[in-house]
Amino acid sequence: MTSAVHVVGAGLSGLSAAVRLVDAGRTVTVHEAAGHAGGRCRSYHDPHLGMTIDNGNHLVLSGNGAALAFLDRIGGREAVAVEARAEFPFIDLAAGERWTLRLNEGRVPWWILDPDRRVPGTQATDYAEILRLLSATPGAKVSDVLPCEGPLYERLWRPILLAALNIDPSEADATLAAQVVRETFGQGGQACRPVIAQGGLSEAFVHPALRFLEERGAVVRLNTRLYRLAYEGGRVAGLVFGAGSMPLRPWDQVILALPPKATTDVVPGLDAPTDHRGIANVHFGVRCPADMPPLTGVVNGLSDWIFAYPDRISVTVSAAEPDGMSRQELAHRIWTEVSYVTGRYMTALSEMPPPWQVIREKRATFAATPEAARLRPRTRTEFRNLFIAGDWTDTGLPACIEGAVRSGDKAARTAMEATGRAATTS
């Protein structure tokens, strides 16, 4: 028997599942409600700026093995550049102090012993406190095991964990935070070099994936919204779209790669995180000099990370709740900070911002709290041919590109294993 797999959702988790399946010779159809693939990880042409920008800034690191393997598989690796060293410039806007965190390549963190490579105002012995986070038990918050104050926290752990978890780290699930540290600092600088998609996220992750699927006979149906699933005898028997129903054969399978609410709307009894956090990204159309760092961390500012591309500057405001601030106010406030931070690289900057665009995602990620962590579902469901993918599922990581790709890979493998078991018992 030849089974078909219907992947619902063409974000990164859905694309990674579909790519893994067609690579194994499976028949795949991808259904996507929007008119484009990529979900939150995509690029688009912005008419106001007159250029292609990313919907939001997403940082991939050299240690993100699943994401890089996905790029290798689809032929997208040439669209990204891996920085030569794990170096992260920071600036404290309140103190007016700049420094660069420089990690050594290996796992033994001897960089901590060098005052010129670690965070100013810290001692080598201060870094030992992170061991308490690494031994955290499920249900603990970061503030239960890590002092959420002092120079080391404010200038290193808070900005790093805020970027990774998109929530005030003191409220975050300690085991998720610990896994972030294990897979980055715990692996040494070899795992922490930034991976930059200079031409946009779609050129690296989305367009090559769609070409890969098309070349192998997969069907991608855009503008196709799933309204419900038809269940029968402990399995999904059909997909119901706005244009009609699609019955499934007894051996066909479904992978849902949708946001949490869209998933729980069609899967009865499924738990999922319900609390979310927003992200704001502000893009400025301005040419950057070649010597400007690709990203800069900001402490004590509204900005969190400043990304420099050849034709634009993009700023991320994590865990963003700036609802009381208009788009224009946000752009002007951010530009004031950008002008100060980039003044050494870009001279004669105007007080008025260049052409700008603000993108707010109110439900960008699930809130990475201990309560939400307990609600993250696993890949398998109670229905034997239905599987779940998404960065909000139980990946062991917070919502990120690496987690999304891992979830899609796992859903594809689980579906194929289920087919193998069904074949041996039939």
Side-chain angles (χ1 to χ4, degrees), residues 3-299:
S3 65
V5 184
H6 294 267
V7 178
V8 184
L12 278 195
S13 57
L15 290 176
S16 66
V19 164
R20 175 76 66 171
L21 288 163
V22 298
D23 207 25
R26 299 293 294 274
T27 300
V28 175
T29 301
V30 180
H31 310 273
E32 169 56 48
H36 53 79
R40 298 193 313 274
C41 180
R42 65 181 179 88
S43 312
Y44 76 98
H45 180 78
D46 187 89
H48 179 66
L49 293 178
M51 65 178 65
T52 297
I53 62 175
D54 293 330
N55 190 52
N57 295 314
H58 296 263
L59 181 62
V60 175
L61 297 176
S62 53
N64 293 156
L68 294 181
F70 176 72
L71 291 177
D72 287 336
R73 185 173 291 112
I74 64 176
R77 179 65 84 99
E78 293 184 358
V80 301
V82 182
E83 292 297 302
R85 292 176 292 276
E87 296 186 351
F88 299 89
F90 280 90
I91 181 169
D92 185 331
L93 294 183
E97 190 172 8
R98 298 175 185 262
W99 67 94
T100 298
L101 191 74
R102 295 182 173 91
L103 281 63
N104 56 281
E105 285 289 289
R107 293 187 179 186
V108 179
W110 60 260
W111 60 272
I112 292 174
L113 303 177
D114 187 345
D116 293 330
R117 303 183 73 156
R118 64 176 184 249
V119 176
T122 66
Q123 302 296 321
T125 53
D126 297 338
Y127 293 77
E129 65 188 21
I130 201 65
L131 297 176
R132 295 169 57 192
L133 178 68
L134 298 179
S135 59
T137 56
K141 296 189 296 185
V142 170
S143 58
D144 294 332
V145 295
L146 188 69
C148 294
E149 59 184 3
L152 182 58
Y153 176 76
E154 294 295 340
R155 292 182 162 192
L156 179 59
W157 300 131
R158 186 181 188 280
I160 293 295
L161 294 178
L162 177 63
L165 300 163
N166 194 39
I167 189 175
D168 184 339
S170 64
E171 305 173 21
D173 180 78
T175 58
L176 282 178
Q179 192 60 26
V180 170
V181 174
R182 286 191 192 96
E183 296 197 15
T184 54
F185 290 88
Q187 298 299 312
Q190 61 188 347
C192 298
R193 288 176 287 152
V195 179
I196 307 295
Q198 292 281 15
L201 293 167
S202 288
E203 286 300 314
F205 289 93
V206 182
H207 298 160
L210 293 176
R211 287 193 295 269
F212 185 95
L213 294 172
E214 181 182 3
E215 290 168 359
R216 287 156 181 79
V219 176
V220 179
R221 304 175 66 221
L222 302 177
N223 298 303
T224 307
R225 182 176 297 277
L226 178 73
Y227 282 90
R228 65 182 180 88
L229 299 175
Y231 298 97
E232 181 181 299
R235 58 178 288 273
V236 178
L239 309 175
V240 181
F241 301 100
S245 299
M246 177 180 292
L248 301 184
R249 298 170 300 178
W251 50 85
D252 290 342
Q253 297 170 312
V254 178
I255 294 176
L256 290 184
L258 300 171
K261 187 177 186 308
T263 303
T264 56
D265 282 347
V266 298
V267 182
L270 185 74
D271 287 330
T274 57
D275 190 14
H276 291 75
R277 293 293 184 272
I279 291 178
N281 289 276
V282 187
H283 306 272
F284 299 99
V286 59
R287 186 167 295 279
C288 297
D291 62 342
M292 187 170 167
L295 73 161
T296 301
V298 180
V299 177

Side-chain angles (χ1 to χ4, degrees), residues 329-404:
E329 289 171 334
L330 181 61
H332 280 249
R333 168 81 178 273
I334 293 294
W335 180 249
T336 299
E337 297 182 353
V338 168
S339 298
Y340 181 79
V341 172
T342 62
R344 61 167 57 183
Y345 304 101
M346 303 172 65
T347 58
L349 292 175
S350 170
E351 291 185 4
M352 295 297 294
W356 54 268
Q357 183 60 272
V358 172
I359 301 175
R360 284 170 163 159
E361 293 186 79
K362 292 186 177 181
R363 297 172 62 86
T365 67
F366 73 92
T369 62
E371 294 76 20
R374 287 193 292 267
L375 294 173
R376 299 177 78 180
R378 298 189 177 186
T379 304
R380 291 185 178 277
T381 70
E382 63 177 291
F383 304 98
R384 61 180 178 270
N385 65 337
L386 177 63
F387 311 91
I388 307 294
D391 63 7
W392 55 275
T393 62
D394 189 15
T395 66
L397 291 172
C400 59
I401 285 179
E402 178 71 5

